[in-house]
Every structure is written in structure tokens, then in C-alpha cells.
Amino acid sequence: MRLGKHLRMLTGGLLLAFLVLGSAGAAPAEARTPRARLLDMINNSREEQGLDPVKLNVRLSGDAHHHSRMMVRRDELFDVPNLAALLKPYHWTFGGAAVGCNGNLYRLHRMLLSDYIHRSIILSGEVRRVGIGVVRVDGRSSCGRDTYWATEIFYG
């Protein structure tokens, strides 16, 4: 009987340790960066179309982030003015960019996909890499209140 009690305590302790350690490694979706969340949305949309996922280019993401900050500063959306120059180091044959803003990242992604030009870039079979820059604006902007401004630069 004494062995049974110790066995139950050991099993309970292991279960508790598993629950604590197991939950520490899993981050909720809200804890993921907006850039990582947008990359997931892009790749989910590509997968739905039978396309390969794109990989994140961190260096190009810095350029995309800079562009998003410029849009926020001007409080207006505008295309990446120097796309060919930004892509030059990557030996690209296909390139394109998408910009937008919205209070919700999912709605921002859906909005970009609803535009024919942006959709053709995001879902191009030639695309292999993407740089993503997201800036969160708290308060009012021309895009509304508490919005995400994003630049996505694709190439392949």
C-alpha cells in the first residue's frame, strides 16, 4: 500500500512537471511577432494554392521595415520606390512588393489578397523569399485607429 502511494505521488509529480515544462515552450499566437504572423498567413495562402512556402529574408525585412516607417511618418501608403536596387544583392529574376495598413493583421492580409496585383505577387510560383516589415501605430492615422502598416517585398 505504501508503494502505491509513492507511485501515485511520483506519477502526479511527473504529470505536473510535464504540464509546466510543456506549456513553457509553446507561445500563444498573440506572443508571436506581427512579422512572423504575416509570414504564416502568406505561407498558408500559398499552401492553399498548392505553392511552396516562401522563406523570410531577415536583411530584406529590415529594408521593408524602413519603408513601413516612412509610410507611417508621411501617414500615407506608397510603393517601394527603389525595389530593383533593394533586390540587386539577391540575384532575382522576379520581384514585387505589397503595402497596406489595417487594424487587424488578418484583415490586412486578406485585403492584399483581394487586390489583383498584390495577389499575383504574393501567389506567384516564381517567388521564393520575402522581406516583411510591420510597424504598429497606436492612436489615429489615415488608416484608422491603432493600425498595422506593412511592407512585403517578394523575389525569386
Side-chain angles (χ1 to χ4, degrees), residues 34 38 64-65 67-69 71-72 77-78 80 97-102 105 108-109 112 131-136 143 147-153:
L38 270 179
H65 190 262
H67 182 76
S68 294
R69 281 196 329 261
M71 291 190 302
V72 167
L77 294 172
F78 55 92
V80 178
V99 298
C101 56
N102 198 293
L105 283 176
L108 171 62
H109 176 67
L112 292 175
I132 301 172
V134 183
V135 174
R136 172 77 176 167
C143 281
T147 53
Y148 293 97
W149 293 61
T151 303
E152 301 170 351
I153 304 173

Side-chain angles (χ1 to χ4, degrees), residues 67-121:
H67 182 76
S68 294
R69 281 196 329 261
M70 285 179 22
M71 291 190 302
V72 167
R73 241 180 273 134
R74 292 186 195 176
D75 198 26
E76 68 177 320
L77 294 172
F78 55 92
D79 289 329
V80 178
N82 53 345
L83 186 61
L86 288 177
L87 293 177
K88 187 175 182 179
Y90 307 113
H91 311 290
W92 58 285
T93 56
F94 176 87
V99 298
C101 56
N102 198 293
N104 176 286
L105 283 176
Y106 179 75
R107 285 195 306 263
L108 171 62
H109 176 67
R110 298 310 304 172
M111 181 183 68
L112 292 175
L113 284 179
S114 70
D115 177 77
Y116 174 78
I117 299 293
H118 290 143
R119 182 180 182 83
S120 65
I121 294 167

Side-chain angles (χ1 to χ4, degrees), residues 34-85:
R35 180 174 76 181
R37 291 166 47 206
L38 270 179
L39 179 63
D40 287 346
M41 288 180 225
I42 290 166
N43 282 330
N44 287 339
S45 295
R46 291 178 60 80
E47 183 181 341
E48 288 171 3
Q49 300 299 314
L51 298 167
D52 291 332
V54 292
K55 292 183 180 170
L56 185 71
N57 179 319
V58 175
R59 183 173 156 204
L60 187 59
S61 292
D63 294 323
H65 190 262
H66 176 74
H67 182 76
S68 294
R69 281 196 329 261
M70 285 179 22
M71 291 190 302
V72 167
R73 241 180 273 134
R74 292 186 195 176
D75 198 26
E76 68 177 320
L77 294 172
F78 55 92
D79 289 329
V80 178
N82 53 345
L83 186 61

